[in-house]
Amino acid sequence: MKKQLTLLFALVLTFPLAKAVFSQEAPAKSKEAKEARFEGRVERSSKEQSSLTIRQSGGTLEKTCAYDSSTKWVSQFHGDKKVNDIDASQVKDGDYVICKGSADGSVIHATLISKRLSHSAE
């Protein structure tokens, strides 16, 4: 009987402590989930509007990827760990890109635009 009471007492103390620990992790995960990611081929680019229109591969879904002076531009070969810094002039219509940033409807305000390179194209 004494062991059962000790076990019950330990569980009563452990549950609120575990709940407090796990509830602190939840806000961090929700912040990560807010980052939008969209990838596909560049259909149109507009330097005047600082935007790329991207069509999702194999589909009809299009999103606008808006960029500004704080957007980081990189290129990377598929499966390669080396990332190269580039500028906006190196991304052309037809290129495959990944756009990451914050979403506002069908517009993604890009913090990162990654041009994906193909080994066969080199």
Side-chain angles (χ1 to χ4, degrees):
M1 180 72 170
K2 192 173 184 180
K3 287 182 181 180
Q4 289 175 340
L5 283 175
T6 305
L7 182 62
L8 179 63
F9 184 69
L11 286 173
V12 169
L13 288 178
T14 305
F15 182 72
L17 187 61
K19 185 177 177 184
V21 168
F22 290 117
S23 67
Q24 288 176 354
E25 290 178 11
K29 288 181 183 178
S30 66
K31 286 181 184 176
E32 290 173 12
K34 290 183 182 179
E35 181 181 60
R37 182 181 192 276
F38 193 75
E39 62 182 276
R41 297 254 173 232
V42 177
E43 290 291 313
R44 292 175 298 286
S45 55
S46 172
K47 290 183 182 179
E48 296 80 25
Q49 295 178 351
S50 299
S51 68
L52 303 172
T53 302
I54 302 169
R55 180 184 301 260
Q56 191 174 34
S57 294
T60 58
L61 182 61
E62 284 188 357
K63 290 200 179 199
T64 300
C65 184
Y67 57 87
D68 58 27
S69 61
S70 67
T71 302
K72 181 174 172 92
W73 295 81
V74 298
S75 68
Q76 184 176 14
F77 282 101
H78 179 75
D80 199 356
K81 293 185 185 216
K82 184 179 178 195
V83 178
N84 307 300
D85 288 329
I86 62 171
D87 60 52
S89 68
Q90 293 175 277
V91 175
K92 309 283 184 216
D93 291 358
D95 286 343
Y96 194 87
V97 297
I98 298 173
C99 179
K100 290 184 178 182
S102 59
D104 182 16
S106 64
V107 177
I108 296 175
H109 300 281
T111 55
L112 174 75
I113 298 175
S114 177
K115 177 180 175 181
R116 309 313 279 183
L117 304 172
S118 170
H119 288 287
S120 61
E122 295 293 315

